[in-house]
Amino acid sequence: MGRPRTPLLSADRIADAALELVNATGGFTMPALAARLGVRPSSLYNHVAGRDAIVELLRERAMSEVELPSHDPDELPRPWREAVADIARSYRRSYARYPRLIPLLTAYPVNSASAITMYNTLAATLVRAGFDHADTLRVITLIDYLVLGSALDVAAPDEPWLASAEVGPEFAAALATATPNPHRADDAFEYGLSVLLAGLGA
Amino acid sequence: MGRPRTPLLSADRIADAALELVNATGGFTMPALAARLGVRPSSLYNHVAGRDAIVELLRERAMSEVELPSHDPDELPRPWREAVADIARSYRRSYARYPRLIPLLTAYPVNSASAITMYNTLAATLVRAGFDHADTLRVITLIDYLVLGSALDVAAPDEPWLASAEVGPEFAAALATATPNPHRADDAFEYGLSVLLAGLGA
């Protein structure tokens, strides 16, 4: 008894193929996905409810490696800035693997368990730190902006700005300090995170 | 003498078609672009040097509406935070019109005159405010993260998080404060901008 040459269709295999299409073309359609998997579009619906469900599988994949701080109830809670910084770093590390997914994920409502768990932890940490509910949502959104912008930047070319004739002296001097990626993007993210956390206390 | 039914091919028309493809599918290829314009791929190269040049046309289009503060040499320069905030607001307003362009633009080196002019103005403002060259590049990068993350958020669904069973009490209370877009994203951007500018002084 030989194995089938083509693995059986599954939600996981559909997500793999969708991710390949997103990485190659920036998006996916159900017909293109079916063509890539060598099946009819209707077969996809035996495994996933539709395009939205596939986007959530991709989000779950991006979020699945986000590490949340463990909280030992016998220990004092860590300072909120440290807890938020660790979550933001882990969130960014995960998303930086899939920069081309980002515009797709931001265009669909968040509904994956890993994402909700991370937002729950952020919200609980911020409310405990004294932020009211409206500001808690604003801070979470600001962390999203920093993480998503920075994850896109990891995929930027090593020289993200071409030093053309029109570059002025101050910008040229600033550009001369840039290091190759991923160092430049890592450095800018850490700088941004510390500015953000300092600004939240001001 | 009748007009030709199809407008003549031009760099502008190529950019229009590329933008339509990006909005519809998240990206564009030279063959798909040629097919959409009803020409052979080789005809495109009579008007643009290649894919990179088309990306720069799209960046130029996104940046062309960014308004930079005018500087009357007889007046005292404005406080740097106000100048930076105005540029960031205008930059975001422009990019929010083209959220699907963002991952494409960040994947290619910046080489459009409007973009370089904006970065020149930001760098000159920051250096005048006392930032060293390395920090000037970091602050510019941070503004990019805020603007790009926020421009993507303008295209987010009205309920960017689905309140599923797993939403914890603090996150649920935070979500309950959300207003419909574009108000929510505008509000989060202004909050983020003020946090960032406060953090830069801390």
Side-chain angles (χ1 to χ4, degrees), chain B residues 155-176:
Chain B
D158 264 349
E159 298 207 26
W161 293 276
L162 294 183
S164 65
E166 301 85 24
V167 170
E170 296 91 352
F171 188 40
L175 287 180

Side-chain angles (χ1 to χ4, degrees), chain B residues 3-179:
Chain B
R3 286 209 205 165
R5 250 183 242 176
T6 313
L8 291 172
L9 200 56
S10 66
D12 238 25
R13 240 189 107 223
I14 292 171
D16 285 342
L19 191 57
E20 285 164 21
L21 275 176
V22 169
N23 282 333
T25 68
F28 71 91
T29 62
M30 296 300 272
L33 194 50
R36 189 171 189 103
L37 288 160
V39 302
R40 286 191 300 186
S42 57
S43 306
L44 297 176
Y45 294 93
N46 295 328
H47 302 274
V48 292
R51 194 178 142 81
D52 294 26
I54 299 172
V55 172
E56 279 320 288
L57 288 174
L58 298 181
R59 189 191 312 276
E60 188 65 33
R61 206 169 273 210
M63 296 294 302
S64 63
E65 296 191 14
V66 175
E67 286 169 30
L68 297 175
S70 58
H71 30 160
D72 180 341
D74 292 336
E75 279 181 30
L76 277 176
R78 296 165 65 213
W80 69 269
R81 283 191 174 80
E82 282 181 27
V84 167
D86 280 353
I87 297 171
R89 284 189 189 105
S90 177
Y91 180 20
R92 172 182 179 266
R93 219 165 22 240
S94 296
Y95 266 57
R97 296 172 304 154
Y98 306 113
R100 296 207 71 179
L101 264 186
I102 289 172
L104 194 63
L105 299 184
T106 56
Y108 281 80
V110 175
N111 197 21
S112 93
S114 301
I116 298 287
T117 302
M118 183 195 71
Y119 288 120
N120 284 343
T121 308
L122 275 175
T125 306
L126 292 165
V127 167
R128 207 180 307 122
F131 289 93
D132 68 26
H133 293 129
D135 279 353
T136 294
L137 187 64
R138 292 184 181 110
V139 176
I140 287 176
T141 306
L142 181 54
I143 292 169
D144 265 341
Y145 294 170
L146 177 69
V147 165
L148 299 180
S150 167
L152 285 170
D153 195 21
V154 172
D158 264 349
E159 298 207 26
W161 293 276
L162 294 183
S164 65
E166 301 85 24
V167 170
E170 296 91 352
F171 188 40
L175 287 180
T177 68
T179 51

Side-chain angles (χ1 to χ4, degrees), chain A:
Chain A
M1 296 270 287
R3 287 206 204 169
R5 250 184 242 176
T6 312
L8 290 171
L9 201 58
S10 66
D12 238 25
R13 240 190 107 222
I14 292 171
D16 285 342
L19 191 56
E20 285 163 20
L21 275 176
V22 170
N23 282 332
T25 68
F28 72 91
T29 62
M30 297 300 271
L33 194 52
R36 188 168 189 105
L37 288 161
V39 301
R40 285 191 299 186
S42 58
S43 305
L44 298 175
Y45 295 93
N46 295 327
H47 302 274
V48 292
R51 192 178 144 81
D52 295 25
I54 298 172
V55 172
E56 280 319 288
L57 288 175
L58 298 180
R59 190 191 312 275
E60 187 65 34
R61 206 169 273 209
M63 296 294 301
S64 63
E65 297 190 13
V66 176
E67 285 169 30
L68 298 176
S70 58
H71 30 161
D72 180 341
D74 292 336
E75 280 180 29
L76 277 177
R78 296 165 64 213
W80 70 269
R81 283 191 175 82
E82 284 180 26
V84 167
D86 280 353
I87 297 171
R89 285 189 188 106
S90 176
Y91 179 19
R92 172 182 179 266
R93 219 165 21 239
S94 297
Y95 265 56
R97 297 173 302 154
Y98 307 112
R100 296 207 72 178
L101 264 186
I102 289 172
L104 194 63
L105 298 185
T106 56
Y108 281 80
V110 176
N111 198 20
S112 92
S114 302
I116 298 287
T117 302
M118 184 195 69
Y119 289 120
N120 283 342
T121 308
L122 275 176
T125 305
L126 292 165
V127 167
R128 207 180 306 122
F131 290 93
D132 68 26
H133 292 130
D135 279 353
T136 294
L137 186 64
R138 292 183 180 110
V139 176
I140 287 175
T141 306
L142 180 54
I143 292 169
D144 265 342
Y145 294 171
L146 177 70
V147 166
L148 300 180
S150 167
L152 285 170
D153 194 20
V154 173
D158 264 349
E159 298 206 27
W161 292 276
L162 294 183
S164 64
E166 299 86 24
V167 170
E170 296 90 350
F171 187 40
L175 287 180
T177 69
T179 51
N181 252 348
H183 182 269
R184 185 188 55 73
D186 289 349
D187 171 80
F189 173 74
E190 284 296 327
Y191 181 82
L193 188 56
S194 66
V195 165
L196 190 156
L197 292 172
L200 286 174

